[in-house]
Amino acid sequence: MRVVRAMAEHVASRQSEPEASLKHPVSPDPSRLDAATGIFQMLADPTRLHLLWLLTHGEADVTALVDACGASRTAVSQHLAKLRFTGLVDTRREGRRVIYRLRGGHVTRLVEEGLNHADHIVTGEPPHH
């Protein structure tokens, strides 16, 4: 939980900063390694990963995400709360509905690349660059 808390604090401190580039040429110091570990912990659950993958295709509310992933509404809500707390998803209100979206292109690319790599493992397709 320490890693997740540190990651949430890091996200909160950066929310007011301007949009950054696609690549960040920095060394992986302990704070960055902790933040990255927290991200990978969030991706380590199949339901959360599925929710993130669904959100790579656009915004959605809880009802749409429940219908698409097949998990219970309670489970989806709990997973979304964790993803929001750790800064991987953002929300906005639309009347009484809460709409979820991925927080930035890095999250989108991370989810897509993880699943692309998994496709190579499952299908046996050789790796490429």
Side-chain angles (χ1 to χ4, degrees), residues 13-37:
S13 71
R14 296 197 43 125
Q15 286 182 344
S16 62
E17 294 181 14
E19 196 67 29
S21 67
L22 293 177
K23 295 194 179 204
H24 306 268
V26 296
S27 293
D29 61 14
S31 65
R32 285 173 177 82
L33 290 169
D34 279 348
T37 299

Short mmCIF file of all heavy atoms in Angstrom, two decimals, residues 13-37:
data_model
loop_
_atom_site.label_atom_id
_atom_site.label_comp_id
_atom_site.label_asym_id
_atom_site.label_seq_id
_atom_site.Cartn_x
_atom_site.Cartn_y
_atom_site.Cartn_z
N SER A 13 0.64 15.82 -7.08
CA SER A 13 1.58 16.93 -7.20
C SER A 13 1.78 17.37 -8.65
O SER A 13 2.17 18.49 -8.90
CB SER A 13 2.94 16.55 -6.59
OG SER A 13 3.61 15.61 -7.40
N ARG A 14 1.47 16.49 -9.61
CA ARG A 14 1.70 16.81 -11.02
C ARG A 14 0.45 17.26 -11.75
O ARG A 14 0.52 17.67 -12.90
CB ARG A 14 2.27 15.59 -11.74
CG ARG A 14 3.62 15.21 -11.19
CD ARG A 14 4.35 14.31 -12.11
NE ARG A 14 4.23 14.74 -13.47
CZ ARG A 14 5.24 15.00 -14.28
NH1 ARG A 14 6.45 14.88 -13.84
NH2 ARG A 14 5.05 15.35 -15.53
N GLN A 15 -0.72 17.22 -11.12
CA GLN A 15 -1.96 17.51 -11.82
C GLN A 15 -2.03 18.93 -12.35
O GLN A 15 -2.72 19.19 -13.32
CB GLN A 15 -3.16 17.21 -10.94
CG GLN A 15 -3.37 15.72 -10.81
CD GLN A 15 -4.58 15.36 -9.98
OE1 GLN A 15 -5.12 16.18 -9.26
NE2 GLN A 15 -5.00 14.12 -10.08
N SER A 16 -1.32 19.87 -11.74
CA SER A 16 -1.40 21.24 -12.21
C SER A 16 -0.29 21.59 -13.21
O SER A 16 -0.24 22.69 -13.72
CB SER A 16 -1.32 22.19 -11.02
OG SER A 16 -0.09 22.04 -10.36
N GLU A 17 0.59 20.64 -13.50
CA GLU A 17 1.69 20.89 -14.43
C GLU A 17 1.23 20.78 -15.87
O GLU A 17 0.29 20.07 -16.18
CB GLU A 17 2.82 19.90 -14.17
CG GLU A 17 3.47 20.09 -12.81
CD GLU A 17 4.60 19.11 -12.57
OE1 GLU A 17 5.05 18.47 -13.52
OE2 GLU A 17 5.01 19.00 -11.42
N PRO A 18 1.89 21.48 -16.81
CA PRO A 18 1.50 21.41 -18.22
C PRO A 18 1.75 20.02 -18.80
O PRO A 18 2.50 19.23 -18.25
CB PRO A 18 2.40 22.46 -18.89
CG PRO A 18 3.54 22.65 -17.96
CD PRO A 18 3.02 22.35 -16.57
N GLU A 19 1.12 19.77 -19.94
CA GLU A 19 1.27 18.49 -20.65
C GLU A 19 2.73 18.24 -21.00
O GLU A 19 3.43 19.14 -21.45
CB GLU A 19 0.41 18.51 -21.92
CG GLU A 19 0.17 17.17 -22.53
CD GLU A 19 -0.70 16.26 -21.70
OE1 GLU A 19 -1.53 16.76 -20.94
OE2 GLU A 19 -0.52 15.04 -21.80
N ALA A 20 3.21 17.03 -20.79
CA ALA A 20 4.61 16.69 -21.01
C ALA A 20 4.78 15.94 -22.33
O ALA A 20 3.82 15.61 -23.01
CB ALA A 20 5.12 15.84 -19.86
N SER A 21 6.04 15.64 -22.66
CA SER A 21 6.35 14.95 -23.90
C SER A 21 6.09 13.45 -23.77
O SER A 21 5.81 12.94 -22.69
CB SER A 21 7.83 15.17 -24.24
OG SER A 21 8.64 14.54 -23.29
N LEU A 22 6.23 12.74 -24.89
CA LEU A 22 6.02 11.29 -24.89
C LEU A 22 7.14 10.55 -24.19
O LEU A 22 6.94 9.47 -23.66
CB LEU A 22 5.89 10.79 -26.33
CG LEU A 22 4.66 11.24 -27.10
CD1 LEU A 22 4.72 10.73 -28.53
CD2 LEU A 22 3.40 10.79 -26.41
N LYS A 23 8.35 11.08 -24.24
CA LYS A 23 9.50 10.42 -23.63
C LYS A 23 10.11 11.34 -22.59
O LYS A 23 10.18 12.54 -22.77
CB LYS A 23 10.54 10.06 -24.68
CG LYS A 23 10.03 9.04 -25.66
CD LYS A 23 11.13 8.45 -26.47
CE LYS A 23 10.52 7.41 -27.39
NZ LYS A 23 11.46 6.43 -27.80
N HIS A 24 10.56 10.73 -21.52
CA HIS A 24 11.17 11.47 -20.42
C HIS A 24 12.53 10.85 -20.14
O HIS A 24 12.62 9.80 -19.51
CB HIS A 24 10.29 11.37 -19.16
CG HIS A 24 8.88 11.81 -19.41
ND1 HIS A 24 8.46 13.09 -19.21
CD2 HIS A 24 7.80 11.12 -19.87
CE1 HIS A 24 7.18 13.18 -19.52
NE2 HIS A 24 6.77 12.01 -19.93
N PRO A 25 13.61 11.48 -20.60
CA PRO A 25 14.96 10.90 -20.42
C PRO A 25 15.48 11.10 -19.00
O PRO A 25 16.31 11.97 -18.75
CB PRO A 25 15.79 11.67 -21.45
CG PRO A 25 15.10 12.99 -21.56
CD PRO A 25 13.64 12.72 -21.36
N VAL A 26 14.97 10.30 -18.08
CA VAL A 26 15.40 10.39 -16.68
C VAL A 26 15.85 9.02 -16.19
O VAL A 26 15.43 7.99 -16.70
CB VAL A 26 14.27 10.92 -15.78
CG1 VAL A 26 13.88 12.35 -16.15
CG2 VAL A 26 13.06 10.02 -15.84
N SER A 27 16.69 9.04 -15.19
CA SER A 27 17.12 7.79 -14.56
C SER A 27 16.02 7.31 -13.62
O SER A 27 15.35 8.12 -12.98
CB SER A 27 18.40 8.02 -13.76
OG SER A 27 19.45 8.30 -14.63
N PRO A 28 15.89 6.01 -13.49
CA PRO A 28 14.87 5.48 -12.59
C PRO A 28 15.32 5.54 -11.12
O PRO A 28 15.81 4.58 -10.57
CB PRO A 28 14.68 4.04 -13.06
CG PRO A 28 15.98 3.68 -13.69
CD PRO A 28 16.53 4.96 -14.27
N ASP A 29 15.15 6.72 -10.52
CA ASP A 29 15.50 6.89 -9.11
C ASP A 29 14.43 6.18 -8.26
O ASP A 29 13.42 5.70 -8.77
CB ASP A 29 15.65 8.36 -8.75
CG ASP A 29 14.37 9.16 -8.97
OD1 ASP A 29 13.29 8.57 -9.13
OD2 ASP A 29 14.46 10.39 -8.98
N PRO A 30 14.65 6.08 -6.95
CA PRO A 30 13.70 5.35 -6.10
C PRO A 30 12.25 5.84 -6.19
O PRO A 30 11.32 5.02 -6.21
CB PRO A 30 14.25 5.54 -4.68
CG PRO A 30 15.73 5.68 -4.89
CD PRO A 30 15.85 6.47 -6.18
N SER A 31 12.03 7.15 -6.30
CA SER A 31 10.64 7.63 -6.37
C SER A 31 9.98 7.22 -7.69
O SER A 31 8.80 6.86 -7.71
CB SER A 31 10.58 9.14 -6.18
OG SER A 31 11.23 9.81 -7.23
N ARG A 32 10.72 7.23 -8.78
CA ARG A 32 10.16 6.80 -10.07
C ARG A 32 9.94 5.29 -10.10
O ARG A 32 8.95 4.81 -10.66
CB ARG A 32 11.07 7.24 -11.21
CG ARG A 32 10.98 8.73 -11.50
CD ARG A 32 12.00 9.19 -12.53
NE ARG A 32 11.86 10.60 -12.84
CZ ARG A 32 12.36 11.58 -12.10
NH1 ARG A 32 13.06 11.30 -11.01
NH2 ARG A 32 12.18 12.84 -12.44
N LEU A 33 10.87 4.54 -9.51
CA LEU A 33 10.69 3.09 -9.44
C LEU A 33 9.47 2.75 -8.59
O LEU A 33 8.69 1.85 -8.94
CB LEU A 33 11.95 2.42 -8.89
CG LEU A 33 13.16 2.47 -9.83
CD1 LEU A 33 14.41 2.02 -9.10
CD2 LEU A 33 12.91 1.63 -11.07
N ASP A 34 9.26 3.45 -7.48
CA ASP A 34 8.08 3.23 -6.65
C ASP A 34 6.80 3.56 -7.40
O ASP A 34 5.82 2.82 -7.35
CB ASP A 34 8.14 4.06 -5.37
CG ASP A 34 9.00 3.42 -4.28
OD1 ASP A 34 9.38 2.26 -4.42
OD2 ASP A 34 9.28 4.12 -3.29
N ALA A 35 6.81 4.69 -8.11
CA ALA A 35 5.62 5.08 -8.88
C ALA A 35 5.33 4.05 -9.97
O ALA A 35 4.17 3.65 -10.16
CB ALA A 35 5.81 6.46 -9.48
N ALA A 36 6.34 3.60 -10.69
CA ALA A 36 6.15 2.62 -11.76
C ALA A 36 5.67 1.28 -11.18
O ALA A 36 4.79 0.63 -11.76
CB ALA A 36 7.44 2.43 -12.55
N THR A 37 6.21 0.89 -10.04
CA THR A 37 5.77 -0.34 -9.39
C THR A 37 4.29 -0.25 -9.04
O THR A 37 3.53 -1.21 -9.24
CB THR A 37 6.61 -0.61 -8.13
OG1 THR A 37 7.97 -0.76 -8.52
CG2 THR A 37 6.15 -1.88 -7.43
#
